């Protein structure tokens, strides 16, 4: 039962109505507030907040706040007011320690639902074919997406030749300027978008290189000229962007690319394994 449905079924006092209506209009704010803070915000007593929780059918205010958080997550409002880490942490620090694992799990499941809505199977299949068919594959990511780009590049290189990493802190331009019209740039970029990402995108555009961007929204500033944009929600319950949606996208692409690479991919893995067995560095 939603909060709205609970309100329809309950008989609320004047103060309870004030609190209830505020919560419905401001779930993204209320979900981080204590009962005392909520009462202070609305000029009512703490007891009114507690009574509302029970009137709506919750055993405690903590349970009430969990329900608010769940709806804020489902509506994509949780933590959406800022991309500044210390501002996000200030809000996240009001969440009880015991609530965090459950909230993160809910957020993770929501990422899968959003991926299904934002990125069609067809988009993934077309993107995978573009990557396999490209002459050289340039993988770029900076700062908060450098690790994602590193992982994607390493795994791709196991089944595909000519995979290049363009995510060095310094000197990434040395590699990027070799991009050509038969190549592809796979660019990872999340708020706050790196200037290096904008530069490598510009280089790819001028080289008429195919471009695939994995980011948080179709209107992100680093999507200009992209042939494919894979969108991932980054809402989280901490100061950091959530990368679970992007990891899901990478796994889908890797699975498709592995299939498309066929015998060539198998032979490459076989050769790679021969030398990895000698070093023991798997």
């Amino acid at each position: 039962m939603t909060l709205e449905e609970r309100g329809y079924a309950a008989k609320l006092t004047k103060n309870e109505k004030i609190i209830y209506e505020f919560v419905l209009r401001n779930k993204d704010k209320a979900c981080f507030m204590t009962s005392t803070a909520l009462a202070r915000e609305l000029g009512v007593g703490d007891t009114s907040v507690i009574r509302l929780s029970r009137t709506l059918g919750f055993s405690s205010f903590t349970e009430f706040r969990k329900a608010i958080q769940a709806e804020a997550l489902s509506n994509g409002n949780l933590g959406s007011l800022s991309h500044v880490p210390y501002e996000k942490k200030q809000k996240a620090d009001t969440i009880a320690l015991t609530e965090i694992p459950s909230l993160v799990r809910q957020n993770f499941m929501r990422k899968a639902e959003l991926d299904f809505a934002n990125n069609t199977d067809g988009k993934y299949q077309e993107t995978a074919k573009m990557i396999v068919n490209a002459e050289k594959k340039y993988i770029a990511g900076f700062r908060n997406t450098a690790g994602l780009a590193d992982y994607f590049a390493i795994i791709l290189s196991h089944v595909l030749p000519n995979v290049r990493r363009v995510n060095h802190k310094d000197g990434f331009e040395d590699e990027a300027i070799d991009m050509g019209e038969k190549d592809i740039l796979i660019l990872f970029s999340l708020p706050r978008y790196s200037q290096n990402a904008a530069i490598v995108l510009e280089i790819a555009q001028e080289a008429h290189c195919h471009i695939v961007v994995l980011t948080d929204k179709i209107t992100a500033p680093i999507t200009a000229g992209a042939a494919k944009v894979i969108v991932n929600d980054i809402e989280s319950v901490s100061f950091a962007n959530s990368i679970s949606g992007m990891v899901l996208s990478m796994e889908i692409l890797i699975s498709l690319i592995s299939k498309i690479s066929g015998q060539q991919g198998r032979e490459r893995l076989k050769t790679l394994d021969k030398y990895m067995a000698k070093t023991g560095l798997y």
Side-chain angles (χ1 to χ4, degrees):
M1 186 182 292
T2 66
L3 293 177
E4 194 167 340
E5 289 168 340
R6 286 176 182 268
Y8 292 152
K11 292 182 179 180
L12 305 179
T13 65
K14 180 180 178 181
N15 281 351
E16 287 174 345
K17 285 180 180 178
I18 292 172
I19 302 163
Y20 173 71
E21 289 171 0
F22 174 84
V23 167
L24 287 187
R25 291 196 306 269
N26 303 278
K27 291 175 187 174
D28 57 323
K29 182 178 180 180
C31 71
F32 291 102
M33 299 173 77
T34 63
S35 59
T36 302
L38 190 54
R40 189 185 305 118
E41 173 85 13
L42 299 173
V44 299
D46 288 13
T47 53
S48 294
V49 179
I50 303 303
R51 278 200 304 268
L52 172 63
S53 304
R54 291 172 179 163
T55 301
L56 293 176
F58 298 102
S59 60
S60 65
F61 175 75
T62 298
E63 291 301 313
F64 180 29
R65 189 167 71 165
K66 283 183 180 179
I68 302 171
Q69 290 168 348
E71 292 200 8
L73 272 172
S74 67
N75 294 332
N77 298 129
L78 191 58
S80 63
L81 298 182
S82 175
H83 292 306
V84 182
Y86 70 83
E87 291 179 355
K88 291 173 70 176
K89 189 176 188 307
Q90 185 176 11
K91 293 180 67 177
D93 282 350
T94 65
I95 301 174
L97 195 66
T98 55
E99 297 173 4
I100 290 175
S102 177
L103 276 174
V104 173
R105 291 188 189 101
Q106 290 177 48
N107 200 26
F108 188 90
M109 290 185 285
R110 178 174 168 271
K111 296 292 186 289
E113 293 174 356
L114 287 173
D115 179 81
F116 187 76
N118 293 331
N119 305 308
T120 65
D121 291 356
K123 183 199 287 188
Y124 276 125
Q125 290 165 14
E126 291 165 11
T127 301
K129 288 175 184 176
M130 287 173 59
I131 294 171
V132 171
N133 293 331
E135 193 168 285
K136 295 191 295 287
K137 298 86 176 168
Y138 290 85
I139 318 297
F142 303 93
R143 198 170 175 82
N144 65 349
T145 57
L148 294 168
D150 265 336
Y151 175 77
F152 195 65
I154 290 170
I155 296 301
L156 280 194
S157 70
H158 289 177
V159 291
L160 297 178
N162 299 317
V163 176
R164 311 287 177 84
R165 278 187 270 180
V166 192
N167 59 343
H168 307 294
K169 181 179 178 182
D170 300 307
F172 70 89
E173 302 94 338
D174 299 343
E175 187 80 47
I177 59 173
D178 291 329
M179 286 189 285
E181 59 184 18
K182 294 182 180 180
D183 304 327
I184 191 166
L185 169 68
I186 299 102
L187 175 61
F188 295 79
S189 189
L190 295 174
R192 294 176 281 176
Y193 312 101
S194 165
Q195 183 60 28
N196 286 356
I199 293 171
V200 77
L201 178 68
E202 181 182 348
I203 295 172
Q205 290 170 331
E206 292 181 356
H208 303 292
C209 178
H210 299 290
I211 300 166
V212 172
V213 177
L214 285 86
T215 189
D216 65 312
K217 55 188 177 183
I218 199 76
T219 56
I222 38 70
T223 60
K228 300 290 181 185
V229 178
I230 295 176
V231 178
N232 301 103
D233 180 78
I234 60 169
E235 302 270 347
S236 75
V237 296
S238 77
F239 70 92
N241 291 329
S242 172
I243 62 169
S244 55
M246 190 165 281
V247 171
L248 174 60
S249 291
M250 285 196 294
E251 184 162 348
I252 291 172
L253 286 173
I254 289 166
S255 300
L256 289 167
I257 289 166
S258 174
K259 172 68 175 179
I260 296 168
S261 68
Q263 183 63 29
Q264 179 190 28
R266 288 193 294 276
E267 290 300 321
R268 188 173 177 84
L269 280 169
K270 185 176 179 181
T271 302
L272 181 64
D273 193 71
K274 179 177 73 173
Y275 294 108
M276 289 174 68
K278 293 183 178 181
T279 64
L281 298 176
Y282 296 102

